[in-house]
Every structure is written in C-alpha cells, then in structure tokens.
Amino acid sequence: MTEVEGTDTRTRLLEAAADLIAAAPGEDFSLRAVCDAAGVKMPTLYHFFGNKQGLIEAVVERGFDMYLSAKSSTESSGDPIQDLRLGWDAHVAFGLENPGFYTLMYGKVRPGYSPEAQSKPSEILRGLTLKAEQDGRLVVGYEQAAAHVLATNIGVTLRLIIQGKNDPELSAGVREGVLAAITGTGQSEPGDGRLGHSVIERAAANPGILGETETQLLIQWIGRLGEV
Amino acid sequence: MTEVEGTDTRTRLLEAAADLIAAAPGEDFSLRAVCDAAGVKMPTLYHFFGNKQGLIEAVVERGFDMYLSAKSSTESSGDPIQDLRLGWDAHVAFGLENPGFYTLMYGKVRPGYSPEAQSKPSEILRGLTLKAEQDGRLVVGYEQAAAHVLATNIGVTLRLIIQGKNDPELSAGVREGVLAAITGTGQSEPGDGRLGHSVIERAAANPGILGETETQLLIQWIGRLGEV
DNA sequence: TCAACCTCCGTATCGTTGTTACATCGGACT
DNA sequence: AGTCCGATGTAACAACGATACGGAGGTTGA
C-alpha cells in the first residue's frame, strides 16, 4: 500500500495469499497477483517460501492455526462423546465459513499427500476417542473410531461446501450415525458398564427436547448412577 | 502415427488423456502431452473439446461410464438396503482402483461445482433409497438418506485414496454405521417403550443416589426423550 | 575502520502452459 | 465443377511458475 507498512513482508505476502485464496477457493491463484497485492516482486516471494507449494503450505498452516484457536475455545464438556460432537460441529462450521482454507487443508486429494499441519487436529481427535475408549464408551478401537469420525466429518463438510448451502440436518444426521456406530448405542445390554449411554446420546443429539441445562444435568445424574 | 490407427482421433485423445490422468492423478497434466500421445497437434484437441475443462469433463464422463458399467453388473439383490451395501463397496473399490478418475469425479471441491455426469449415479442412489423408503425401511426421508450415504461414501473413499492403502474395516464400519443410521436399526427407536429402562430401574431402586425429586425428574425427562 | 557477509529485494529472462487467429487439405453435397 | 464444412497444421500470444544475477542495506569481526 502507499501507507506505512508496519507488518513485515512475509506476513503481508501470507495475508495477501490468504485473501486471494479466500476470494477464489482452490489453488488456482497467481503468485504475481499475490506479489502485486503485497507490493513486492516475485523473487521476494521465492525468497521466503521457496516455491508455490511452500506458500500454500504456509497458508494452510495459518489456516489450521485459525481452525484450532476457533475450536479450542468451544471444546471441553467433560464428556468425550459430547466433545466429539462439539468438535464435529466446529469442524463443519469452519469449513463452511472458510471454504478456501478448508479445501486447501482437506480438499486436496492426492495419494500419499497429507499436509503436515493436519496431524495436529487428528491428534486432538485421537485424544478424544482414546479418552472415550478408556471410559468404556467405544465398541471399536479408538484409532478406528477416530478414522471413522475424521473421514465422515470431512466427507460431510466437503459435500456441504460443494452444494453451497449448509444443511444442519445432514451434518447432524451423519454425526449421530457415526457416534452411534462407534459407541454401539442401542446394542448395549443393561449392566454391561455402558449404562444409559443411549439415553445420553439421544438427549445430547436433540438438545431441543430437554434444553441444554437439563441435558447436562441428565448426563451428570446418569454418570452418578453408573458409578455406584 | 506411422502405424495404422483404426480408432478415431477423438477417442485417441480421450484415451491418451485418461492414461496421463491415471498415471499422475489430479488435473495437472499438459494438453501438449495429450496431443503428443495422440499424435495430433493442439488445435485438433480444441476442435473436439473446446478447452481443457471440456476434455476433463469428457474424461470424467467416460470414467462415470466405466464406473456405472462396473457397478451395474453387481447390483440387484432385490433388497434395497443390501443394494446400498453393494453400491457402497463398488464405489469404494472403483475409487481405489481408479484414483485418477475418482479424484476428478468427486475430489474436485469448488463451491457450486458438480460435474454433469455425477447426476447419474446420484439418481441411481436416490432410486435405491426411495425404494427402501417405500418398503418402510427408512427412518429418514429418502433424499436425506441418499445425501447421507453419498457424503460418507465419498468421504471414506477419498480418505482411503489419500492414505494409499485400503482399509476394509473402516469402509465397512462407516457403511454399517450409515445404514444403521438411516434404517434406525441398532438405535433405540422412538416410542419403542424401552428407552432408558435400565437407567430408570436403577434410579428407582436406589433413591438414595439421586434423591427422590431428581429421580422423579429423571424418569420424566427420559419419558420425554422416548416420546419424540 | 573496513572488508566480508547475510538478508532482503529488484531486473531480466527462460521454458511451459492454455488458448486462439489463420491457413490448408479433403471429402460431401448441389 | 464449384462450394461448403469438418478436420488438421503453423504460428503466435499472454500468463504462469521459476531462476540467474546483481545491488542495496545493515551486521559482524578482526
């Protein structure tokens, strides 16, 4: 810009690239456009990022940071399954709000290609399923459960991005189906250590029936029943 | 070329493009390479396909034909749910065997972009879920069920392509979870009168755990959950 | 102090890409 | 025979990613 530019060049390039990507999702943006927006020539960009892929990865990493900071603020209900639910919704919401970033992060499908930054959210997800497993809530291994959740969560989000409009019913439907599948809801025998899980799942899946506080209380009470 | 060329030029271009795409998934192939492989100059390609996108769409359409012919040969069990299962597996198998085609068909994620040829398989899918609905097998609308199946099926397939190796456990797990979700099997049905009985009995048997009023409230809430 | 050095950045250029204007050839129809 | 149209080639364009090269400015070390 003609104004003073307090931010350093690298950051300016990164933000310019992020803007262009957000404006036109996909990776079909021009490095020259990025340089123009940042008020710099191309070798400068190459100096900082090596090549286009380097710039994209830096942008993606930045996107994941945004995603994680947006996610970490809304994820700690105590109940791991409920955390999975919140994480699912946060994932979908981020994808719909930032389709440009999201398609770069999860929409690029090449065999063997998995951005470095993807590992962090996956780690968090596995942490949640591990906790759920330790609580005896899963009927499949925690890694299997995490893969199950991840694949479907991405699938739904990409689908929603493609069709442009959000579809809470689809997202919630798939989400509950997935959670039911990994928790074995409906197949649990009384007294097998998973007391009341179907009730909890059902209540949490439909917060409108009981209301948020009642649902939370219900989960808490059933937990106390199970402890004894 | 020097050899005889029985196939017509358009087909040769199509096959050359398909080969290049299959060799290096994605759409980052050169039109000149296609022309060289087909023994033709570029204006010929433009004469038949207009532009690169046109060529890609033609290749995609060809891919869908392959997919459908591979699918239709293994899909008629009479039972719509079982057909969905077979269709799911055929979908995954095709994606893993033809990642190049598949990523072009379903891996391209741009808001509002949906290849023409995609509508055919989606139509078939909706036909199956409609039949299932008419048979009274679904607990959600057939369109919702179809969207549910499609999003997860694509999600799993893309995931398997990315991680290179097949994972029948993941595919089957998600598949059964999805089918359970749309058919209602494995989940406690609304109004089946059994939701939370073990919880209620335990609470009623031990009024000291929650206290009288809480227990009463719990029973009431679970009743409301079951009514819906 | 001064020369070596490193970071940052511009000039100019290269090879490749998608795309198009224009010309050519050959068969089909009138 | 003449005209038209589909199919193909020649040549060129602009935009792209990438790179070789050089220079300005500050920092460092003897």
Side-chain angles (χ1 to χ4, degrees), chain B residues 43-146:
Chain B
T44 301
L45 188 153
Y46 275 82
H47 172 70
F48 285 114
F49 301 101
N51 54 19
K52 186 171 188 175
Q53 189 57 33
L55 173 63
I56 290 178
E57 284 174 10
V59 171
V60 164
E61 193 162 0
R62 198 162 168 274
F64 269 107
D65 286 345
M66 290 174 50
Y67 168 61
L68 286 176
S69 66
K71 194 173 182 175
S72 65
S73 66
T74 63
E75 182 180 299
S76 59
S77 73
D79 182 66
I81 302 301
Q82 182 62 13
D83 281 351
L84 285 176
R85 223 181 306 264
L86 296 176
W88 177 288
D89 289 342
H91 184 119
V92 172
F94 178 83
L96 286 176
E97 287 165 12
N98 309 86
F101 283 147
Y102 191 85
T103 53
L104 277 186
M105 292 186 279
Y106 287 113
K108 191 178 213 162
V109 182
R110 306 274 187 280
Y113 170 74
S114 189
E116 171 64 24
Q118 270 194 25
S119 61
K120 220 181 316 180
S122 296
E123 202 59 43
I124 295 179
L125 175 59
R126 273 205 300 279
L128 285 180
T129 56
L130 177 58
K131 183 160 183 287
E133 182 179 58
Q134 291 167 342
D135 289 2
R137 307 282 294 272
L138 299 186
V139 294
V140 299
Y142 78 97
E143 289 164 335
Q144 179 78 3

Side-chain angles (χ1 to χ4, degrees), chain B residues 17-25 100:
Chain B
D19 287 348
L20 289 182
I21 289 172

Side-chain angles (χ1 to χ4, degrees), chain A residues 225, chain B residues 197-208 210 212 215 218-219:
Chain A
L225 283 174
Chain B
H197 273 185
S198 61
V199 176
I200 293 176
E201 283 158 12
R202 187 176 186 91
N206 307 278
L210 294 181
E212 291 251 352
T215 300
L218 178 76
I219 294 173

Side-chain angles (χ1 to χ4, degrees), chain A residues 14-39:
Chain A
L14 220 44
E15 289 178 350
D19 287 349
L20 288 181
I21 289 172
E27 63 189 72
D28 49 353
F29 64 95
S30 158
L31 293 187
R32 284 177 168 83
V34 174
C35 290
D36 284 354

